[in-house]
Amino acid sequence: AGEKWDVHYHKEADEITFLIRGRMIIQGKELKSGDIFVIDRYEIADPVFLEDCEVVIIKRPSVTGDKYTLN
């Protein structure tokens, strides 16, 4: 809870995220357990965790080093 990851984007991968447990905000939207969301390449990801969360993140394609921070 309270953790904030780097604001970032990917040039090659789309990111599919399943929020298993908890609550978070990304792109101004509050998400809850069971929500699935997609961040397309070049779209900004700005996650803030309101509660302890468990997430499963799938990057397609999975490319090492394909994370560009804006902070």
Side-chain angles (χ1 to χ4, degrees):
E3 187 173 335
K4 185 176 179 178
W5 288 356
D6 288 337
V7 175
H8 67 280
Y9 67 96
H10 304 279
K11 291 182 179 179
E12 298 184 49
D14 297 320
E15 202 171 76
I16 302 163
T17 302
F18 173 43
L19 180 56
I20 296 170
R21 181 179 61 85
R23 287 185 319 119
M24 64 182 287
I25 295 173
I26 192 162
Q27 295 178 322
K29 297 177 189 170
E30 186 171 331
L31 304 171
K32 62 184 181 338
S33 298
D35 286 344
I36 296 173
F37 59 96
V38 177
I39 304 291
D40 294 319
R41 63 192 71 166
Y42 288 101
E43 194 171 1
I44 303 299
D46 58 352
V48 176
F49 300 93
L50 304 173
E51 299 176 353
D52 288 345
C53 293
E54 290 180 45
V55 296
V56 172
I57 300 172
I58 299 168
K59 293 181 187 171
R60 111 183 143 209
S62 179
V63 177
T64 302
D66 183 39
K67 182 176 183 178
Y68 301 89
T69 59
L70 300 176
N71 313 46

Coordinates of all heavy atoms in Angstrom, one line a residue:
A1 N 0.8 -1.2 0.0 CA 0.0 0.0 0.0 C 0.9 1.2 0.0 O 1.9 1.3 0.6 CB -0.9 0.0 1.2
G2 N 0.4 2.3 -0.7 CA 1.2 3.5 -0.8 C 2.4 3.5 -1.8 O 3.0 4.5 -2.0
E3 N 2.7 2.3 -2.3 CA 3.8 2.2 -3.2 C 3.4 2.9 -4.6 O 2.3 2.7 -5.0 CB 4.2 0.8 -3.4 CG 5.4 0.6 -4.3 CD 5.9 -0.9 -4.3 OE1 5.5 -1.7 -3.4 OE2 6.6 -1.2 -5.3
K4 N 4.4 3.6 -5.1 CA 4.2 4.2 -6.4 C 5.3 3.8 -7.3 O 6.5 4.0 -7.0 CB 4.1 5.7 -6.3 CG 3.8 6.4 -7.6 CD 3.7 7.9 -7.3 CE 3.4 8.6 -8.6 NZ 3.2 10.0 -8.5
W5 N 5.0 3.1 -8.4 CA 6.1 2.7 -9.4 C 6.4 3.8 -10.3 O 5.7 4.8 -10.4 CB 5.6 1.5 -10.2 CG 5.5 0.2 -9.5 CD1 5.8 0.0 -8.2 CD2 4.9 -1.0 -10.0 NE1 5.5 -1.3 -7.9 CE2 5.0 -2.0 -9.0 CE3 4.4 -1.4 -11.2 CZ2 4.6 -3.3 -9.1 CZ3 4.0 -2.7 -11.4 CH2 4.1 -3.6 -10.3
D6 N 7.6 3.7 -11.0 CA 8.0 4.7 -11.9 C 6.9 4.9 -13.0 O 6.4 3.9 -13.5 CB 9.3 4.3 -12.6 CG 10.5 4.4 -11.7 OD1 10.4 5.2 -10.7 OD2 11.5 3.8 -11.9
V7 N 6.7 6.1 -13.4 CA 5.8 6.4 -14.6 C 6.7 5.9 -15.8 O 7.8 6.3 -15.9 CB 5.5 7.9 -14.6 CG1 4.7 8.2 -15.9 CG2 4.7 8.3 -13.4
H8 N 6.1 5.1 -16.6 CA 6.9 4.5 -17.7 C 6.0 4.2 -18.9 O 4.8 4.3 -18.8 CB 7.6 3.3 -17.2 CG 6.7 2.1 -16.9 ND1 6.0 2.1 -15.7 CD2 6.3 1.0 -17.6 CE1 5.2 1.0 -15.6 NE2 5.4 0.3 -16.8
Y9 N 6.6 3.8 -20.0 CA 6.0 3.2 -21.1 C 6.9 2.2 -21.8 O 8.0 2.0 -21.4 CB 5.6 4.4 -22.1 CG 6.8 5.0 -22.8 CD1 7.3 4.6 -24.0 CD2 7.5 6.1 -22.1 CE1 8.4 5.2 -24.6 CE2 8.6 6.7 -22.7 CZ 9.0 6.3 -23.9 OH 10.1 6.9 -24.5
H10 N 6.3 1.5 -22.8 CA 7.0 0.5 -23.5 C 7.0 0.8 -25.0 O 5.9 1.2 -25.5 CB 6.5 -0.9 -23.3 CG 6.4 -1.3 -21.8 ND1 7.5 -1.8 -21.1 CD2 5.4 -1.2 -20.9 CE1 7.2 -2.0 -19.9 NE2 5.9 -1.6 -19.7
K11 N 8.0 0.6 -25.7 CA 8.1 0.9 -27.1 C 7.7 -0.3 -28.0 O 7.2 -0.2 -29.1 CB 9.4 1.4 -27.6 CG 9.8 2.7 -27.1 CD 11.2 3.1 -27.6 CE 11.6 4.5 -27.0 NZ 12.9 4.9 -27.5
E12 N 7.9 -1.5 -27.4 CA 7.6 -2.7 -28.2 C 6.5 -3.6 -27.7 O 6.0 -4.4 -28.4 CB 8.9 -3.5 -28.3 CG 10.0 -2.8 -29.0 CD 11.3 -3.6 -29.2 OE1 11.1 -4.8 -29.6 OE2 12.4 -3.1 -28.8
A13 N 6.2 -3.5 -26.4 CA 5.2 -4.4 -25.8 C 3.9 -3.7 -25.4 O 3.9 -2.6 -24.9 CB 5.9 -5.1 -24.6
D14 N 2.9 -4.5 -25.5 CA 1.6 -4.1 -24.8 C 1.6 -4.9 -23.5 O 2.3 -5.9 -23.4 CB 0.4 -4.6 -25.7 CG 0.3 -4.0 -27.0 OD1 0.6 -2.8 -27.1 OD2 0.0 -4.7 -28.0
E15 N 1.0 -4.3 -22.5 CA 1.0 -4.9 -21.2 C -0.4 -5.2 -20.7 O -1.3 -4.3 -20.7 CB 1.6 -3.8 -20.2 CG 2.2 -4.4 -19.0 CD 3.0 -3.4 -18.2 OE1 2.4 -2.5 -17.6 OE2 4.3 -3.4 -18.2
I16 N -0.7 -6.4 -20.4 CA -2.0 -6.9 -19.9 C -1.8 -7.2 -18.4 O -0.9 -8.0 -18.1 CB -2.4 -8.2 -20.7 CG1 -2.5 -7.9 -22.2 CG2 -3.8 -8.6 -20.1 CD1 -2.5 -9.1 -23.0
T17 N -2.6 -6.5 -17.6 CA -2.5 -6.7 -16.2 C -3.8 -7.2 -15.6 O -4.8 -6.7 -15.9 CB -2.1 -5.3 -15.5 OG1 -0.8 -4.9 -16.1 CG2 -1.9 -5.5 -14.0
F18 N -3.6 -8.2 -14.7 CA -4.8 -8.7 -13.9 C -4.5 -8.4 -12.5 O -3.5 -8.8 -11.9 CB -4.9 -10.2 -14.2 CG -5.9 -10.9 -13.3 CD1 -7.1 -10.4 -13.1 CD2 -5.6 -12.2 -12.7 CE1 -8.1 -11.1 -12.3 CE2 -6.5 -12.8 -11.9 CZ -7.7 -12.3 -11.7
L19 N -5.4 -7.6 -11.9 CA -5.3 -7.2 -10.5 C -6.0 -8.3 -9.7 O -7.2 -8.4 -9.6 CB -5.9 -5.9 -10.2 CG -5.9 -5.3 -8.8 CD1 -4.5 -5.3 -8.3 CD2 -6.5 -4.0 -8.8
I20 N -5.2 -9.2 -9.1 CA -5.7 -10.4 -8.4 C -6.4 -9.9 -7.0 O -7.4 -10.3 -6.7 CB -4.6 -11.4 -8.1 CG1 -4.1 -12.0 -9.4 CG2 -5.1 -12.5 -7.1 CD1 -2.9 -12.8 -9.3
R21 N -5.6 -9.0 -6.3 CA -6.1 -8.6 -5.0 C -5.6 -7.2 -4.8 O -4.5 -6.8 -5.2 CB -5.4 -9.5 -3.9 CG -5.8 -9.2 -2.5 CD -5.2 -10.1 -1.5 NE -3.7 -10.0 -1.5 CZ -3.0 -9.2 -0.8 NH1 -3.6 -8.2 -0.1 NH2 -1.7 -9.2 -0.9
G22 N -6.5 -6.4 -4.1 CA -6.2 -5.0 -3.8 C -6.9 -3.9 -4.6 O -7.8 -4.2 -5.3
R23 N -6.5 -2.7 -4.4 CA -7.0 -1.6 -5.1 C -5.8 -0.7 -5.6 O -4.8 -0.5 -4.8 CB -7.9 -0.7 -4.2 CG -9.2 -1.3 -4.0 CD -10.2 -0.4 -3.2 NE -9.5 0.4 -2.1 CZ -9.4 1.7 -2.0 NH1 -9.9 2.5 -2.9 NH2 -8.8 2.3 -1.0
M24 N -5.9 -0.1 -6.8 CA -4.9 0.7 -7.3 C -5.5 1.7 -8.2 O -6.7 1.6 -8.6 CB -3.8 -0.1 -8.0 CG -4.4 -0.8 -9.3 SD -3.2 -1.9 -10.1 CE -2.1 -0.6 -10.9
I25 N -4.7 2.7 -8.6 CA -5.1 3.7 -9.6 C -4.1 3.7 -10.7 O -2.9 3.7 -10.4 CB -5.2 5.1 -9.0 CG1 -6.3 5.2 -7.9 CG2 -5.4 6.2 -10.0 CD1 -6.3 6.5 -7.1
I26 N -4.6 3.7 -11.9 CA -3.7 3.8 -13.1 C -4.4 4.7 -14.1 O -5.6 4.5 -14.4 CB -3.2 2.5 -13.6 CG1 -2.1 2.7 -14.6 CG2 -4.4 1.7 -14.2 CD1 -1.3 1.4 -14.9
Q27 N -3.7 5.6 -14.7 CA -4.3 6.6 -15.7 C -5.6 7.2 -15.1 O -6.6 7.4 -15.9 CB -4.5 5.9 -17.0 CG -3.3 5.4 -17.6 CD -3.5 4.7 -18.9 OE1 -4.4 4.0 -19.1 NE2 -2.6 4.9 -19.9
G28 N -5.6 7.5 -13.8 CA -6.8 8.2 -13.2 C -8.0 7.3 -13.0 O -9.0 7.8 -12.5
K29 N -7.8 6.0 -13.2 CA -8.9 5.1 -13.0 C -8.6 4.2 -11.8 O -7.6 3.6 -11.7 CB -9.2 4.2 -14.2 CG -9.5 4.9 -15.4 CD -9.6 4.0 -16.6 CE -9.8 4.8 -17.9 NZ -9.7 4.0 -19.1
E30 N -9.6 4.1 -10.9 CA -9.4 3.2 -9.7 C -9.9 1.8 -10.1 O -10.9 1.6 -10.6 CB -10.2 3.7 -8.5 CG -9.9 2.9 -7.3 CD -10.5 3.4 -6.0 OE1 -10.7 4.7 -5.9 OE2 -10.8 2.6 -5.1
L31 N -9.0 0.8 -9.8 CA -9.2 -0.6 -10.1 C -9.3 -1.4 -8.8 O -8.7 -1.0 -7.8 CB -8.1 -1.1 -11.0 CG -7.9 -0.3 -12.3 CD1 -6.6 -0.8 -12.9 CD2 -9.0 -0.4 -13.2
K32 N -10.1 -2.5 -8.9 CA -10.3 -3.3 -7.7 C -9.9 -4.8 -8.1 O -9.8 -5.1 -9.3 CB -11.7 -3.2 -7.2 CG -12.7 -3.6 -8.2 CD -14.1 -3.4 -7.7 CE -15.2 -3.8 -8.6 NZ -15.0 -4.0 -10.0
S33 N -9.9 -5.6 -7.1 CA -9.6 -7.0 -7.3 C -10.5 -7.6 -8.4 O -11.7 -7.3 -8.5 CB -9.9 -7.8 -6.0 OG -9.1 -7.4 -5.0
G34 N -9.9 -8.3 -9.3 CA -10.6 -9.0 -10.4 C -10.5 -8.2 -11.7 O -10.9 -8.7 -12.8
D35 N -10.1 -6.9 -11.7 CA -10.1 -6.1 -12.9 C -8.9 -6.5 -13.8 O -7.8 -6.9 -13.3 CB -10.0 -4.6 -12.5 CG -11.3 -4.0 -12.0 OD1 -12.3 -4.6 -12.2 OD2 -11.2 -2.9 -11.4
I36 N -9.1 -6.4 -15.1 CA -8.0 -6.6 -16.1 C -8.0 -5.3 -16.9 O -9.0 -4.7 -17.3 CB -8.4 -7.8 -17.0 CG1 -8.4 -9.1 -16.2 CG2 -7.4 -7.9 -18.1 CD1 -8.9 -10.3 -16.9
F37 N -6.7 -4.9 -17.2 CA -6.6 -3.7 -18.0 C -5.4 -3.8 -18.9 O -4.5 -4.6 -18.6 CB -6.5 -2.4 -17.2 CG -5.4 -2.4 -16.2 CD1 -4.2 -1.7 -16.5 CD2 -5.5 -2.9 -15.0 CE1 -3.1 -1.7 -15.6 CE2 -4.5 -2.9 -14.0 CZ -3.3 -2.3 -14.4
V38 N -5.4 -3.1 -20.0 CA -4.4 -3.2 -21.0 C -3.7 -1.8 -21.2 O -4.4 -0.8 -21.4 CB -4.9 -3.7 -22.4 CG1 -3.9 -3.7 -23.5 CG2 -5.6 -5.1 -22.2
I39 N -2.4 -1.8 -21.2 CA -1.7 -0.6 -21.5 C -1.0 -0.9 -22.9 O -0.1 -1.8 -23.0 CB -0.6 -0.3 -20.4 CG1 -1.2 -0.2 -19.1 CG2 0.2 1.0 -20.8 CD1 -2.1 1.1 -18.9
D40 N -1.4 -0.2 -23.9 CA -0.8 -0.4 -25.2 C 0.6 0.3 -25.3 O 0.9 1.2 -24.5 CB -1.7 0.3 -26.3 CG -3.0 -0.4 -26.4 OD1 -3.0 -1.7 -26.4 OD2 -4.0 0.3 -26.6
R41 N 1.4 -0.2 -26.2 CA 2.8 0.4 -26.3 C 2.7 1.9 -26.5 O 1.7 2.4 -27.1 CB 3.6 -0.3 -27.5 CG 2.9 -0.1 -28.8 CD 3.6 -1.0 -29.8 NE 3.2 -2.4 -29.5 CZ 3.3 -3.4 -30.3 NH1 3.8 -3.3 -31.5 NH2 2.9 -4.6 -29.9
Y42 N 3.6 2.6 -26.0 CA 3.7 4.1 -26.0 C 2.6 4.7 -25.1 O 2.6 5.9 -25.0 CB 3.6 4.7 -27.4 CG 4.9 4.4 -28.2 CD1 4.9 3.4 -29.2 CD2 6.0 5.1 -28.0 CE1 6.1 3.1 -29.9 CE2 7.2 4.9 -28.7 CZ 7.2 3.9 -29.6 OH 8.3 3.6 -30.3
E43 N 1.8 4.0 -24.5 CA 0.8 4.5 -23.5 C 1.5 4.6 -22.2 O 2.2 3.7 -21.8 CB -0.4 3.6 -23.5 CG -1.6 4.2 -22.8 CD -2.9 3.4 -23.0 OE1 -2.8 2.3 -23.6 OE2 -3.9 3.8 -22.5
I44 N 1.2 5.7 -21.4 CA 1.9 5.9 -20.2 C 1.2 5.1 -19.1 O 0.0 5.1 -18.9 CB 1.8 7.4 -19.8 CG1 2.4 8.3 -20.9 CG2 2.4 7.7 -18.4 CD1 3.8 8.1 -21.1
A45 N 2.1 4.4 -18.3 CA 1.6 3.6 -17.1 C 2.1 4.4 -15.9 O 3.3 4.7 -15.7 CB 2.2 2.2 -17.1
D46 N 1.2 4.7 -15.0 CA 1.5 5.5 -13.8 C 0.8 4.9 -12.5 O 0.0 5.6 -11.9 CB 1.0 7.0 -14.0 CG -0.5 7.1 -14.3 OD1 -1.1 6.1 -14.5 OD2 -0.9 8.2 -14.3
P47 N 1.1 3.7 -12.2 CA 0.4 3.0 -11.1 C 0.7 3.5 -9.7 O 1.8 3.8 -9.4 CB 0.8 1.5 -11.3 CG 2.2 1.6 -11.9 CD 2.1 2.8 -12.8
V48 N -0.4 3.6 -8.9 CA -0.3 4.0 -7.5 C -1.1 2.9 -6.8 O -2.3 2.7 -7.1 CB -0.8 5.4 -7.2 CG1 -0.8 5.7 -5.7 CG2 -0.1 6.4 -8.0
F49 N -0.6 2.3 -5.8 CA -1.2 1.2 -5.1 C -1.9 1.7 -3.8 O -1.2 2.2 -2.9 CB -0.2 0.1 -4.8 CG 0.4 -0.4 -6.1 CD1 1.5 0.1 -6.6 CD2 -0.3 -1.4 -6.8 CE1 2.1 -0.4 -7.8 CE2 0.2 -1.8 -8.0 CZ 1.4 -1.3 -8.5
L50 N -3.2 1.6 -3.7 CA -3.9 2.1 -2.6 C -4.0 1.1 -1.4 O -4.1 1.5 -0.3 CB -5.4 2.4 -3.0 CG -5.5 3.4 -4.1 CD1 -6.9 3.6 -4.6 CD2 -4.9 4.8 -3.8
E51 N -3.8 -0.2 -1.8 CA -3.8 -1.3 -0.8 C -2.7 -2.2 -1.3 O -2.1 -2.1 -2.4 CB -5.1 -2.1 -0.8 CG -6.3 -1.3 -0.4 CD -7.6 -2.1 -0.5 OE1 -7.6 -3.2 -1.0 OE2 -8.6 -1.5 -0.1
D52 N -2.3 -3.1 -0.4 CA -1.4 -4.2 -0.8 C -2.0 -4.9 -2.0 O -3.2 -5.2 -1.9 CB -1.1 -5.2 0.3 CG -0.2 -4.5 1.4 OD1 0.4 -3.5 1.1 OD2 -0.1 -5.1 2.5
C53 N -1.3 -5.1 -3.1 CA -1.9 -5.7 -4.3 C -1.1 -6.9 -4.7 O 0.1 -7.0 -4.5 CB -1.8 -4.7 -5.4 SG -2.9 -3.3 -5.2
E54 N -1.7 -7.8 -5.4 CA -1.1 -8.9 -6.2 C -1.5 -8.7 -7.6 O -2.7 -8.5 -7.9 CB -1.6 -10.2 -5.7 CG -1.1 -10.6 -4.3 CD -1.6 -12.0 -3.9 OE1 -1.6 -12.9 -4.7 OE2 -2.1 -12.1 -2.8
V55 N -0.6 -8.6 -8.5 CA -0.8 -8.4 -9.9 C -0.1 -9.5 -10.7 O 1.0 -10.0 -10.4 CB -0.5 -7.0 -10.4 CG1 -1.3 -6.0 -9.8 CG2 1.0 -6.8 -10.2
V56 N -0.7 -9.8 -11.9 CA -0.1 -10.7 -12.9 C 0.0 -9.8 -14.1 O -1.0 -9.2 -14.6 CB -0.9 -11.9 -13.2 CG1 -0.2 -12.7 -14.4 CG2 -0.9 -12.8 -12.0
I57 N 1.3 -9.6 -14.6 CA 1.5 -8.7 -15.8 C 2.1 -9.6 -16.9 O 3.1 -10.3 -16.7 CB 2.4 -7.6 -15.4 CG1 1.8 -6.7 -14.3 CG2 2.7 -6.7 -16.7 CD1 2.8 -5.7 -13.7
I58 N 1.4 -9.5 -18.1 CA 1.9 -10.2 -19.3 C 2.3 -9.1 -20.3 O 1.5 -8.2 -20.6 CB 0.8 -11.1 -19.9 CG1 0.4 -12.1 -18.8 CG2 1.3 -11.7 -21.2 CD1 -0.8 -12.9 -19.2
K59 N 3.5 -9.2 -20.8 CA 4.0 -8.3 -21.8 C 4.0 -9.0 -23.1 O 4.6 -10.1 -23.2 CB 5.4 -7.7 -21.5 CG 5.3 -6.8 -20.3 CD 6.7 -6.2 -20.0 CE 6.7 -5.5 -18.7 NZ 8.0 -5.1 -18.3
R60 N 3.5 -8.5 -24.1 CA 3.5 -9.1 -25.4 C 3.9 -8.2 -26.5 O 3.3 -7.2 -26.7 CB 2.1 -9.7 -25.7 CG 1.3 -9.1 -26.7 CD 0.0 -9.7 -26.9 NE -0.8 -8.5 -27.2 CZ -2.0 -8.3 -27.0 NH1 -2.7 -9.2 -26.4 NH2 -2.6 -7.2 -27.3
P61 N 5.1 -8.5 -27.1 CA 6.0 -9.5 -26.8 C 6.9 -9.1 -25.6 O 7.0 -8.0 -25.2 CB 6.9 -9.6 -28.1 CG 6.9 -8.2 -28.6 CD 5.5 -7.6 -28.3
S62 N 7.4 -10.1 -25.0 CA 8.3 -9.9 -23.8 C 9.7 -9.6 -24.3 O 10.4 -10.4 -25.0 CB 8.4 -11.2 -23.0 OG 9.2 -11.0 -21.9
V63 N 10.1 -8.3 -24.1 CA 11.4 -7.8 -24.6 C 12.2 -7.2 -23.5 O 11.7 -6.3 -22.8 CB 11.1 -6.7 -25.7 CG1 12.5 -6.2 -26.2 CG2 10.3 -7.3 -26.9
T64 N 13.3 -7.8 -23.2 CA 14.1 -7.3 -22.1 C 14.6 -5.9 -22.4 O 14.9 -5.5 -23.5 CB 15.4 -8.2 -22.0 OG1 15.0 -9.5 -21.7 CG2 16.3 -7.7 -20.8
G65 N 14.5 -5.0 -21.3 CA 14.9 -3.6 -21.5 C 13.9 -2.7 -22.1 O 14.2 -1.5 -22.3
D66 N 12.7 -3.2 -22.4 CA 11.7 -2.4 -23.0 C 10.8 -1.6 -22.0 O 9.6 -1.8 -21.9 CB 10.8 -3.2 -23.9 CG 9.7 -2.4 -24.6 OD1 10.0 -1.3 -25.1 OD2 8.6 -2.9 -24.8
K67 N 11.5 -0.8 -21.1 CA 10.8 0.0 -20.1 C 11.5 1.3 -20.1 O 12.7 1.4 -19.8 CB 10.8 -0.7 -18.8 CG 10.0 0.1 -17.7 CD 10.0 -0.6 -16.4 CE 9.2 0.1 -15.4 NZ 9.1 -0.6 -14.1
Y68 N 10.7 2.4 -20.4 CA 11.3 3.7 -20.5 C 10.6 4.6 -19.4 O 9.4 4.8 -19.5 CB 11.1 4.3 -21.9 CG 11.8 3.4 -22.9 CD1 11.1 2.3 -23.5 CD2 13.1 3.6 -23.3 CE1 11.7 1.5 -24.4 CE2 13.7 2.8 -24.2 CZ 13.0 1.7 -24.7 OH 13.6 0.9 -25.6
T69 N 11.4 5.0 -18.4 CA 10.8 5.8 -17.3 C 10.8 7.3 -17.7 O 11.6 7.8 -18.4 CB 11.6 5.6 -16.0 OG1 12.9 6.0 -16.2 CG2 11.5 4.1 -15.6
L70 N 9.8 8.0 -17.1 CA 9.6 9.4 -17.3 C 10.0 10.2 -16.1 O 9.9 11.4 -16.1 CB 8.2 9.7 -17.7 CG 7.8 9.0 -19.0 CD1 6.3 9.3 -19.3 CD2 8.6 9.5 -20.2
N71 N 10.4 9.6 -14.9 CA 10.7 10.3 -13.7 C 12.2 10.7 -13.7 O 13.0 10.1 -14.2 CB 10.5 9.5 -12.5 CG 9.2 8.8 -12.4 OD1 8.8 8.2 -13.4 ND2 8.5 8.8 -11.3

